[in-house]
C-alpha cells in the first residue's frame, strides 16, 4: 500500500524566512521519525530536498521572497505531485492554486493562517482596507476543508468573519535543542559586554509591525547596563545606543546558544498570531517582556515574564527593569515548563489527528460520490 503523500505549499520560503520554514522543517522531521508519509514542500524558492519550485517573480525589498502569479500553472504542478492531502501556508495566489489542485484531485485541503492579513492591511491603509481584507479572507478560507489558527486570538478573528471550519492548532518547539544548557559564556564574552551587562535579545523579522524602534528607545531610557541584541533581517532594522544587530541564525543549535546566553527576551510586536520566537526563548529558560496582544498574550503571563499593555518606550523600559527585579530562577523554571507543554512531540500528534480525520472523511464520502456520478451517467 502506498504511503500517504502530504504537500505543503507556501510563498513564505526564502533564505531569510523564519516561522513557517521552521514549522515545515519540524513537520518533516516528525513525519520521518513517526509516520510512513511522503512529504513535499512546494515554494517559489528551492533550497532543500523534496521541494518543488513554483513559478514566481522576485518580490522587491523582501529579502529573497518571490511572488507566485500564475495560478493555473502552479495548480497543474501541484496536480502532477498527486498528493493525498494539501496544505496552504499563505493567503495569497498559491492558496488559490491549492484549492484548484485539491478539487481536480478530489483531496482534502487545509489552510494554516500564519498571518493576520486584515491587521496588516489596517496598519498600512486603514479600516477600509482591513474590511476588504476580512472579506477576502472569508471568501478564500471558506473554500478550504479546514482552516488552522495558531492561537485562540487568531481563531476568534476568523470565526468573527463568519467562518465555521476553523480550529486552533498550536505551533511547537524542539525542547531538546532549545534548552538552558545551550548557554555559552565564551560566546557571550565575544560580544565584549561589561560583566554586569543585562543582555536583551530579539529574534525575528525586522518589520514595521514588530515595533523595534520602541525597543531601542526603551533600551536608551534604561541606561548603560542594558544592551539589545537583535537577530533578523528585513526593511526596518533597529539602531541606537547599545543595540547590536546580527543576521538571523537559521541553525537551530546556534540560535539556541544565543537565546540561552542572554538574560531576557523582548518583543514589542502587536500582531503575532502565535509567537514562535518567544516560545523558543522560553524553552531556553529566558524570562520575557512582550506586548500583551494577540498570540503573545496567550503565551506570556506573570509567571514567565511581563506583558506590556501600552506601546510606549516608558512602559517597556519599566517592564524590563521590573523583570530583572524578580527571581530569575523562578522565571526560568516557569518559562521552561511552559515551553515543554508545546514540544513538537505533543503538538504534532494533534495535527496528525486532524489530517487523519480529513482523509477518513474524504474516503468515506468517495463511494457515494462515485455512485452519484454513475447514476448521473
Amino acid at each position: 500500500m502506498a504511503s500517504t503523500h502530504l504537500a505543503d505549499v507556501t510563498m513564505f520560503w526564502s533564505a531569510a524566512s523564519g516561522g513557517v520554514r521552521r514549522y515545515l522543517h519540524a513537520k518533516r522531521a516528525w513525519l520521518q521519525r513517526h509516520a510512513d508519509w511522503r512529504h513535499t514542500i512546494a515554494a517559489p524558492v528551492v533550497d532543500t530536498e523534496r521541494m518543488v519550485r513554483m513559478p514566481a517573480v522576485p518580490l522587491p525589498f523582501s529579502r529573497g521572497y518571490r511572488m507566485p502569479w500564475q495560478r493555473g500553472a502552479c495548480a497543474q504542478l501541484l496536480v502532477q505531485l498527486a498528493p493525498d492531502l494539501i496544505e496552504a501556508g499563505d493567503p495569497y495566489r498559491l492558496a488559490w492554486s491549492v484549492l484548484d489542485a485539491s478539487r481536480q484531485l478530489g483531496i482534502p485541503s487545509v489552510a494554516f493562517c500564519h498571518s493576520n492579513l486584515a491587521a496588516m492591511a489596517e496598519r498600512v491603509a486603514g479600516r477600509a482596507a482591513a474590511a476588504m481584507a476580512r472579506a477576502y479572507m472569508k471568501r478564500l478560507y471558506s473554500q478550504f476543508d479546514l482552516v488552522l489558527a495558531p492561537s485562540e486570538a487568531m481563531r476568534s478573528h476568523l470565526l468573527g468573519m463568519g467562518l465555521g471550519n476553523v480550529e486552533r492548532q498550536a505551533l511547537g518547539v524542539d525542547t531538546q535543542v532549545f534548552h538552558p544548557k545551550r548557554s555559552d559564556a565564551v560566546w557571550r564574552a565575544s560580544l565584549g559586554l561589561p560583566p554586569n551587562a543585562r543582555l536583551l535579545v530579539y529574534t525575528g523579522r525586522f518589520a514595521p509591525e514588530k515595533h523595534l524602534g520602541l525597543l531601542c528607545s526603551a533600551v536608551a531610557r534604561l541606561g548603560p547596563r542594558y544592551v539589545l541584541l537583535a537577530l533578523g533581517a528585513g526593511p526596518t532594522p533597529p539602531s541606537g545606543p547599545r543595540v547590536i544587530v546580527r543576521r538571523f541564525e537559521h541553525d537551530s543549535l546556534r540560535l539556541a546558544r544565543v537565546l540561552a546566553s542572554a538574560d531576557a527576551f523582548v518583543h514589542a510586536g502587536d500582531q503575532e498570531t502565535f509567537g514562535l520566537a518567544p516560545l523558543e526563548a522560553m524553552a531556553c529558560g529566558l524570562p520575557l517582556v512582550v506586548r500583551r496582544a494577540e498570540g503573545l498574550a496567550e503565551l506570556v503571563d506573570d509567571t514567565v515574564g511581563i506583558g506590556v499593555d501600552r506601546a510606549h518606550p516608558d512602559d517597556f523600559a519599566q517592564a524590563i527593569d521590573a523583570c530583572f527585579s524578580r527571581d530569575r530562577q523562578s522565571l526560568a523554571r516557569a518559562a521552561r515548563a511552559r515551553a515543554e507543554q508545546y514540544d513538537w512531540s505533543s503538538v504534532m500528534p494533534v495535527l496528525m489527528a486532524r489530517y487523519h480525520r480529513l482523509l477518513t472523511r474524504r474516503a468515506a464520502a468517495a463511494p457515494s460520490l462515485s455512485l452519484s456520478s454513475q447514476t448521473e451517467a
Side-chain angles (χ1 to χ4, degrees):
M1 182 177 178
S3 62
T4 302
H5 184 191
L6 168 65
D8 270 295
V9 186
T10 183
M11 69 158 283
F12 294 141
W13 192 281
S14 76
S17 58
V20 174
R21 186 187 183 106
R22 299 210 291 287
Y23 159 64
L24 296 183
H25 272 308
K27 186 190 296 187
R28 171 165 289 180
W30 194 91
L31 289 171
Q32 289 175 337
R33 290 193 303 267
H34 301 287
D36 182 26
W37 282 37
R38 287 191 295 144
H39 185 224
T40 302
I41 298 172
V45 177
V46 171
D47 58 10
T48 191
E49 61 180 356
R50 295 194 303 284
M51 290 192 70
V52 172
R53 189 188 306 275
M54 296 285 100
V57 297
L59 194 60
F61 312 112
S62 67
R63 307 283 297 195
Y65 284 115
R66 297 175 67 86
M67 173 64 77
W69 194 250
Q70 298 174 290
R71 172 175 171 175
C74 291
Q76 286 311 302
L77 285 171
L78 297 175
V79 169
Q80 291 169 21
L81 285 177
D84 300 292
L85 178 69
I86 190 165
E87 179 173 310
D90 70 73
Y92 304 110
R93 196 69 167 175
L94 273 181
W96 296 99
S97 299
V98 166
L99 287 171
D100 294 341
S102 68
R103 286 167 184 153
Q104 289 188 53
L105 294 167
I107 62 173
S109 60
V110 179
F112 206 126
C113 189
H114 290 285
S115 57
N116 188 339
L117 186 61
M120 290 190 289
E122 182 167 6
R123 179 182 58 79
V124 173
R127 292 183 179 178
M132 293 175 63
R134 282 191 289 270
Y136 170 83
M137 293 171 71
K138 180 180 180 180
R139 183 163 61 92
L140 171 66
Y141 286 140
S142 64
Q143 299 180 58
F144 281 86
D145 295 297
L146 176 64
V147 180
L148 300 176
S151 63
E152 188 57 38
M154 192 65 239
R155 177 176 173 270
S156 295
H157 289 315
L158 293 169
L159 291 175
M161 297 173 194
L163 295 167
N165 55 337
V166 184
E167 296 180 13
R168 179 175 179 264
Q169 173 61 56
L171 296 174
V173 62
D174 186 334
T175 57
Q176 295 304 307
V177 170
F178 292 92
H179 195 284
K181 67 184 178 184
R182 305 296 176 191
S183 178
D184 186 337
V186 174
W187 176 85
R188 177 165 171 143
S190 72
L191 296 176
L193 303 177
N196 68 340
R198 290 174 170 175
L199 181 59
L200 313 173
V201 63
Y202 164 88
T203 63
R205 289 186 303 114
F206 298 158
E209 67 271 15
K210 307 298 182 180
H211 302 295
L212 292 167
L214 190 157
L215 294 177
C216 296
S217 297
V219 169
R221 285 162 165 77
L222 283 166
R225 290 187 66 185
Y226 291 86
V227 177
L228 173 64
L229 171 62
L231 276 68
T236 58
S239 63
R242 300 184 308 283
V243 176
I244 303 171
V245 178
R246 298 276 178 89
R247 293 188 59 153
F248 184 76
E249 184 56 76
H250 286 290
D251 181 273
S252 294
L253 284 171
R254 290 200 288 265
L255 177 59
R257 178 183 65 180
V258 173
L259 292 171
S261 303
D263 297 310
F265 184 91
V266 291
H267 198 310
D270 56 4
Q271 296 180 17
E272 299 304 300
T273 57
F274 180 73
L276 192 56
L279 180 62
E280 291 167 345
M282 284 195 287
C284 291
L286 285 190
L288 296 92
V289 177
V290 304
R291 184 70 189 279
R292 200 196 312 270
E294 299 297 319
L296 295 183
E298 297 173 34
L299 274 180
V300 179
D301 58 24
D302 290 343
T303 65
V304 301
I306 298 176
V308 182
D309 292 312
R310 194 169 64 118
H312 194 280
D314 287 340
D315 292 49
F316 264 87
Q318 292 169 15
I320 292 168
D321 190 54
C323 185
F324 279 92
S325 70
R326 296 178 59 186
D327 183 347
R328 175 79 164 77
Q329 293 303 314
S330 175
L331 288 171
R333 287 192 299 270
R336 174 67 187 178
R338 175 73 51 80
E340 287 174 343
Q341 298 174 16
Y342 290 90
D343 189 88
W344 285 119
S345 63
S346 298
V347 170
M348 280 300 173
V350 177
L351 178 63
M352 291 300 294
R354 293 192 164 103
Y355 288 163
H356 282 297
R357 188 185 70 221
L358 288 174
L359 290 167
T360 301
R361 185 186 302 163
R362 184 57 61 99
S368 60
L369 289 174
S370 176
L371 180 59
S372 174
S373 298
Q374 293 175 16
T375 302
E376 291 174 2

